[in-house]
Amino acid sequence: MGQIVGAALVSHHPGLMQCEEFRRAMGAGEDSDLIAGYARLRQQLEGLKPDVVVVFDSHWFTTGYHLVDGGTRYTGTYLSDEMPWYLHGVPYDYRGHPQLALDIEAVSRERGGYNRAIQHPDLGRHYATVNLVKHLRLEMSDTPVVTVSSCQNCSWQHFLESGETIGEAIRRSGLRVVLLGSGALSHKFNGIDWKPNHPRIFHESNVSSPENIASDKRAIALMEEGRHDQILARWDEDYRRKPWEAFGAHYLQMLGAMGGAACRAKGTALSAYENARGTGNIHIWFDTEAA
């Protein structure tokens, strides 16, 4: 029987792909703690040695289906159309896992769901996946990666159901899998003419508003307690309204795979809570075996 051996909510923001010298200039002499957090997350992965890493990509927007990328191998050079002035020329070469993608679709069809596998060699990459592949050195470990989209015409319940299907497919697969929800919490950008509140740009006081900071920290505290049910209970009146990146698809699908409201996996912060152009970012690890 397959098993989800670990999971994490992970930041992917493009500033982390700039050189250390530039990051330290933005950080008033200090690097982003999210960089050190990647090293801490790599240690978790090295200890677990998963058969597959599933990335819930908050930048891959689809309509009508939750798509699961079932390619055999991904090779190319990444250029961001959002921030091409510094996120460009990123080479990538990593394996996929076609059978897991097909298994997810099979379980979804059996249940009357909306998860579908796609295996198109020209399908583009998104930096919510590519940045994690690079920082977590998944190419070097030759760990297969399966990316799941964020379907934009969904309610939060649909994301949970998508995750439930993925969790069931993993259980039937015999694979040891780590889930990565790639995205931010509150995701309101500061204006183009915004002036920082703190000289260290990554500092949490530069997140878009005190209300968003407070909301993010409430969610982080609940994750640390393993009370995902309480996050879901407040979803419509709080986290959906902020809103989280991709309306929280990356977290909700990951949570659905781990049991949804019944999940009690406690989170451990692997980084500080930080700003990125107004958005709230953190790495949090969930010990699914302990749960």
Side-chain angles (χ1 to χ4, degrees):
M1 177 177 287
Q3 184 181 7
I4 296 169
V5 296
L9 190 65
V10 189
S11 173
H12 61 243
H13 79 77
L16 301 173
M17 296 296 284
Q18 296 184 93
C19 68
E20 182 178 347
E21 180 182 6
F22 188 87
R23 293 196 310 264
R24 287 189 179 277
M26 293 176 65
E30 296 181 49
D31 204 347
S32 164
D33 193 53
L34 293 167
I35 295 295
Y38 281 130
R40 299 173 191 125
L41 182 50
R42 286 198 302 271
Q43 289 179 342
Q44 296 285 350
L45 295 176
E46 288 164 6
L48 290 168
K49 294 181 173 57
D51 299 314
V52 185
V53 169
V54 172
V55 176
F56 297 100
D57 188 314
S58 57
H59 278 236
W60 183 18
F61 288 109
T62 53
T63 308
Y65 288 113
H66 312 280
L67 292 185
V68 184
D69 199 339
T72 301
R73 190 165 202 100
Y74 307 102
T75 304
T77 302
Y78 181 73
L79 167 67
S80 166
D81 57 359
E82 180 185 356
M83 297 179 181
W85 56 93
Y86 69 78
L87 190 49
H88 62 86
V90 181
Y92 59 87
D93 183 3
Y94 63 96
R95 285 200 292 150
H97 199 292
Q99 190 58 56
L100 179 58
L102 293 171
D103 290 346
I104 291 169
E105 175 171 339
V107 174
S108 182
R109 288 184 180 278
E110 174 187 306
R111 295 181 167 199
Y114 300 96
N115 290 16
R116 297 291 184 269
I118 184 166
Q119 297 172 308
H120 198 297
D122 295 327
L123 189 64
R125 304 290 86 204
H126 298 273
Y127 69 72
T129 293
V130 171
N131 290 6
L132 298 195
V133 167
K134 304 304 289 188
H135 276 295
L136 299 179
R137 301 176 185 170
L138 298 177
E139 296 160 305
M140 295 175 64
S141 65
D142 202 30
T143 304
V145 176
V146 171
T147 298
V148 180
S149 78
S150 298
C151 182
Q152 61 187 342
N153 58 321
C154 291
S155 69
W156 61 268
Q157 293 92 342
H158 292 133
F159 291 124
L160 285 177
E161 291 167 3
S162 171
E164 289 171 8
T165 295
I166 291 168
E168 177 60 22
I170 290 169
R171 281 187 287 276
R172 297 184 192 182
S173 71
L175 298 168
R176 300 174 73 259
V177 178
V178 166
L179 308 176
L180 300 179
S182 180
L185 299 181
S186 63
H187 201 251
K188 183 180 186 301
F189 291 114
N190 291 324
I192 195 170
D193 57 352
W194 166 81
K195 305 300 180 188
N197 301 313
H198 192 283
R200 187 172 185 271
I201 300 300
F202 302 124
H203 195 272
E204 66 179 51
S205 65
N206 288 323
V207 171
S208 56
S209 73
E211 293 77 16
N212 283 2
I213 295 170
S215 174
D216 287 349
K217 289 192 169 185
R218 282 195 300 272
I220 291 166
L222 289 171
M223 289 179 192
E224 290 174 337
E225 295 170 6
R227 295 312 306 264
H228 304 277
D229 57 327
Q230 293 188 19
I231 294 176
L232 295 181
R234 293 184 56 87
W235 195 267
D236 285 328
E237 61 266 27
D238 193 349
Y239 309 115
R240 172 64 180 83
R241 293 177 183 274
K242 290 304 178 264
W244 284 14
E245 186 164 12
F247 302 118
H250 55 303
Y251 167 73
L252 293 167
Q253 287 176 295
M254 180 181 71
L255 180 62
M258 295 192 294
C263 176
R264 291 294 179 271
K266 292 185 177 181
T268 300
L270 297 184
S271 75
Y273 169 72
E274 292 190 355
N275 162 68
R277 291 186 180 266
T279 69
N281 291 260
I282 191 170
H283 304 323
I284 302 180
W285 176 260
F286 299 99
D287 187 349
T288 56
E289 291 188 4

